[in-house]
């Protein structure tokens, strides 16, 4: 570790990467193995024991599976089969026959993907090409054109380039629920925290707030743990993440020429393409896959006001079609619905209260006036990480915002940056020494949450840094 008392040799650039989930690890990997390998000291700050896993893949729950087939999740965008081959070579899913689908696609446990990313980093860590500092960054200050990066152990690294890959802030549960239920032992505000579901008892009536992939994970985890009580999963629109395509299809349609000038024009084109696909015997999946593949170019052509309209009005629909549920998890949910133990509701919560034991929730179903009271023993919030709140989520980020180094993208999806991932200051100037990697760059890139886009962005960030070495 290079501290402020020991200035590193000026000949070598120091790159500090904050966050060693998939994104931070992949930036380090590409930088340490690319054309300029060895030209920089690469330091990844990550409080977790191992890098490469992050929030998504640092899980030991066997029901947590990747939601994209293994053949599409590679650290190397130029070699999409890289992870799938690693699985074959290492026998990583030999003891997990449920990972395989009839069509030959593989959906391993998420921990397997984390192991794969770590396996790629391991040789680089062993030979010191990448350093893992097992601590969280608590302060970053720019002095004389260099970044002074202080971690929770009180050590300070002086870096030339600072990469922010801290991605998923902790969720911000709805204020109404916090006000009424804070302190209740079975009010679970962050189900991604380790053992967070442990207080839920086998026969508890559970309300899951949210219907996306985290909600599905929670329900599958509860079932694996032997939960037998009734579960209600509630969201405003009641939309569930869709299933994968019934058979493999190539991306369908074109959404680039001519560029769409508005959200509604884009929506009409997508609907038209879905109808045309159906006439050709295809499902909607390849159309959405094409929109995703062309996503950053589509986004770049849209004025900011139209991007905002997409975020406000279309995002819930996009998310459920784009982020598909692993078939094994979908199977658990479908069985629970069929058995009458799981209700999926489109409704809003209008009141919450508790006597310290049972929890009363008043809901208004979508399109109805009447308010209904429902009684639960536990409430789990799965509304997901609060990306628009990222600057407020950590003190050092808030300070970088206050000092004019960072600001939230106008769409509210993450941090403002340019096409080379350089942070854009509130005064509009791009800072080449401060980069935003991965999903926090979504405001500029558009679709950038899952694979393969998140791997492509890590490669872009590494290339952007390498160009300066
Ligand atoms: C539960 C879940 C499951 C997912 N499953 C899939 C999937 O199957 N397929 C898919 O394509 N996409 C999936 N995604 C999308 C996911 O966003 C990307 O695949 C990818 O994992 C994002 O990784 P990341 O490193 O950018 O973010 P994160 O996983 O959030 O990693 C960020 C890391 O930064 C660290 N950090 C935060 N603050 C600091 C600090 N101050 N100092 C040091 N370190 C810090 C955190 O500890 C964390 O490890 C999933 C997302 C989630 C949340």
């Amino acid at each position: 570790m290079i501290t402020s008392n020991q200035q590193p040799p000026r000949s070598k650039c120091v790159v500090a990467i904050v966050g060693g989930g998939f994104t931070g690890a992949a930036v380090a990997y590409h930088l340490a193995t690319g054309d300029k390998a060895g030209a920089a000291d690469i330091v990844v700050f990550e409080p977790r024991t191992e890098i490469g896993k992050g929030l998504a893949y640092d899980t030991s729950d066997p029901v947590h599976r990747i939601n994209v087939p293994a053949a599409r999740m590679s650290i190397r965008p130029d070699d999409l089969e890289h992870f799938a081959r690693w699985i074959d070579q290492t026998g990583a899913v030999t003891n997990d026959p449920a990972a395989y689908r009839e069509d030959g696609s593989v959906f391993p446990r998420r921990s397997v993907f984390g192991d794969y990313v770590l396996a790629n980093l391991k040789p680089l860590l062993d030979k010191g090409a990448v350093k893992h500092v097992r601590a969280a960054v608590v302060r970053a200050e720019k002095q004389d054109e260099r970044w002074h990066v202080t971690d929770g152990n009180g050590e300070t690294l002086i870096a030339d380039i600072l990469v922010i890959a801290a991605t998923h802030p902790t969720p911000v549960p709805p204020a109404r629920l916090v006000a009424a239920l804070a302190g209740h032992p079975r009010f679970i505000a962050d189900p991604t925290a380790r053992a967070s579901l442990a207080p839920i008892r086998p026969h508890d009536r559970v309300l899951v707030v949210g219907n996306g992939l985290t909600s599905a994970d929670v329900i599958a985890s509860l079932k694996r743990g032997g939960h037998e009580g009734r579960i209600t999963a509630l969201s405003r629109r009641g939309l569930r993440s869709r299933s994968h395509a019934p058979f493999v299809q190539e991306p369908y349609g074109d959404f680039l020429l001519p560029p769409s000038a508005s959200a509604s024009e884009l929506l009409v084109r997508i609907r038209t393409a879905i109808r045309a696909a159906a006439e050709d015997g295809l499902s909607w999946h390849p159309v959405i896959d094409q929109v995703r593949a062309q996503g950053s170019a589509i986004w770049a052509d849209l004025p900011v006001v139209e991007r905002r309209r997409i975020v406000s009005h279309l995002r819930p629909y996009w998310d459920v079609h784009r982020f598909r549920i692993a078939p094994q998890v979908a199977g658990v949910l479908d069985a629970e619905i069929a058995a009458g133990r799981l209700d999926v509701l489109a409704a809003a919560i209008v009141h919450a209260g508790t006597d310290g034991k049972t929890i009363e929730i008043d809901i208004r179903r979508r399109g109805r006036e009447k308010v209904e009271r429902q009684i639960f023993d536990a409430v789990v919030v799965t509304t997901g990480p609060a990306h628009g709140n990222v600057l407020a989520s950590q003190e050092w980020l808030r300070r970088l915002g206050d000092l004019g180094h960072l600001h939230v993208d106008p769409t509210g999806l993450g941090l403002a940056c340019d096409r080379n991932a350089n942070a854009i200051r509130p005064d509009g100037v791009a800072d080449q020494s401060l980069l935003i990697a991965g999903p926090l760059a979504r405001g500029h890139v558009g679709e950038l949450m899952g694979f393969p886009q998140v791997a492509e962005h890590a490669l872009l960030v590494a290339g952007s840094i390498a160009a300066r070495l």
Side-chain angles (χ1 to χ4, degrees):
M1 173 99 177
I2 305 145
T3 69
S4 37
N5 302 328
Q6 300 163 258
Q7 292 287 326
R10 298 295 304 201
S11 57
K12 226 175 188 191
C13 174
V14 179
V15 179
I17 301 174
V18 187
F22 173 78
T23 298
V27 171
Y29 171 83
H30 289 297
L31 201 50
T33 57
D35 294 347
K36 300 279 178 67
D41 276 334
I42 305 166
V43 181
V44 181
F45 290 88
E46 170 56 61
R48 291 173 202 270
T49 321
E50 292 164 322
I51 65 171
K53 301 188 169 184
L55 181 65
Y57 313 107
D58 189 11
T59 164
S60 55
D61 192 328
V63 297
H64 290 169
R65 291 187 181 272
I66 60 170
N67 52 45
V68 176
R72 268 197 269 146
M73 283 187 59
S74 166
I75 195 169
R76 298 184 49 158
D78 63 339
D79 180 5
L80 286 182
E81 299 286 326
H82 196 247
F83 175 40
R85 279 202 311 279
W86 180 87
I87 290 175
D88 289 343
Q89 285 157 9
T90 58
V93 296
T94 313
N95 297 327
D96 179 22
Y100 292 92
R101 279 182 89 195
E102 274 177 15
D103 66 3
S105 57
V106 189
F107 289 81
R109 292 169 177 147
R110 290 215 292 272
S111 59
V112 173
F113 186 75
D115 291 342
Y116 153 78
V117 181
L118 179 62
N120 281 281
L121 266 294
K122 189 82 174 45
L124 302 170
L125 291 163
D126 288 347
K127 68 177 183 190
V130 175
K131 295 183 192 74
H132 174 194
V133 174
R134 212 184 137 195
V137 164
V138 294
R139 196 179 174 91
E141 271 187 346
K142 202 171 188 183
Q143 294 174 21
D144 302 327
E145 297 307 306
R146 302 188 83 197
W147 288 100
H148 290 233
V149 184
T150 305
D151 65 34
N153 298 330
E155 302 235 38
T156 298
L157 171 79
I158 301 181
D160 301 279
I161 295 176
L162 179 63
V163 181
I164 300 180
T167 305
H168 295 301
T170 41
V172 177
R176 192 192 296 277
L177 291 181
V178 176
L181 305 180
H184 189 287
R186 286 176 298 283
F187 174 53
I188 318 291
D190 180 6
T192 60
R194 238 173 246 291
S196 58
L197 301 179
I200 299 179
R201 301 160 302 189
H203 294 284
D204 279 344
R205 296 155 291 181
V206 180
L207 173 66
V208 179
V209 182
N211 258 317
L213 292 175
T214 309
S215 165
D217 275 353
V218 163
I219 296 166
S221 293
L222 285 173
K223 289 296 142 191
R224 186 187 63 81
H227 183 263
E228 291 173 2
R230 187 172 59 84
I231 299 180
T232 303
L234 170 154
S235 62
R236 280 182 189 281
R237 296 177 179 80
L239 298 171
R240 279 180 65 196
S241 294
R242 300 298 195 264
S243 297
H244 283 268
F247 54 95
V248 177
Q249 302 163 71
E250 289 302 311
Y252 185 97
D254 175 53
F255 304 94
L256 295 181
L257 292 173
S260 299
S262 70
S264 49
E265 196 183 315
L266 177 63
L267 183 62
V268 169
R269 278 171 84 168
I270 294 172
R271 285 187 168 146
T272 306
I274 289 173
R275 277 195 296 275
E279 282 166 19
D280 289 344
L282 302 173
S283 63
W284 53 265
H285 303 79
V287 176
I288 298 298
D289 291 345
Q290 183 70 308
V291 177
R292 201 184 69 204
Q294 298 181 338
S296 65
I298 296 170
W299 196 252
D301 286 330
L302 288 167
V304 169
V305 63
E306 294 299 324
R307 294 180 189 180
R308 280 207 189 111
R309 289 183 67 202
I310 289 178
V311 173
S312 306
H313 303 296
L314 300 180
R315 187 171 160 205
Y317 300 95
W318 171 251
D319 282 354
V320 294
H321 289 88
R322 172 356 182 164
F323 300 108
R324 296 165 201 163
I325 188 167
Q328 298 86 344
V329 182
V332 173
L333 268 61
D334 290 344
E336 289 304 303
I337 291 171
R341 288 189 296 262
L342 170 62
D343 287 328
V344 177
L345 300 185
I349 294 174
V350 294
H351 167 80
T354 180
D355 59 5
K357 287 185 181 153
T358 52
I359 297 170
E360 52 188 41
I361 301 281
D362 290 348
I363 63 164
R364 186 181 289 118
R365 292 183 194 245
R366 193 170 167 83
R368 304 224 192 121
E369 281 301 309
K370 201 177 123 206
V371 170
E372 296 168 35
R373 174 153 297 180
Q374 299 210 358
I375 303 296
F376 299 96
D377 307 295
V379 172
V380 187
V381 181
T382 66
T383 44
H387 293 108
N389 199 41
V390 60
L391 283 184
S393 70
Q394 300 197 39
E395 176 58 21
W396 69 282
L397 289 172
R398 191 191 58 72
R399 246 179 85 79
L400 286 181
D402 289 349
L403 293 173
H405 293 291
L406 292 173
H407 70 121
V408 170
D409 179 271
T411 57
L413 288 174
L415 297 170
C417 62
D418 67 13
R419 67 191 173 94
N420 294 317
N422 302 310
I424 298 180
R425 300 192 320 222
D427 62 9
V429 175
D431 182 345
Q432 295 203 349
S433 73
L434 181 60
L435 284 89
I436 313 299
L440 284 177
R442 267 190 310 169
H444 179 81
V445 180
E447 177 45 44
L448 177 55
M449 181 51 78
F451 283 79
Q453 285 76 21
V454 71
E456 288 164 4
H457 198 254
L459 180 62
L460 178 143
V461 170
S464 212
I465 297 169
R468 276 167 236 163
L469 298 178

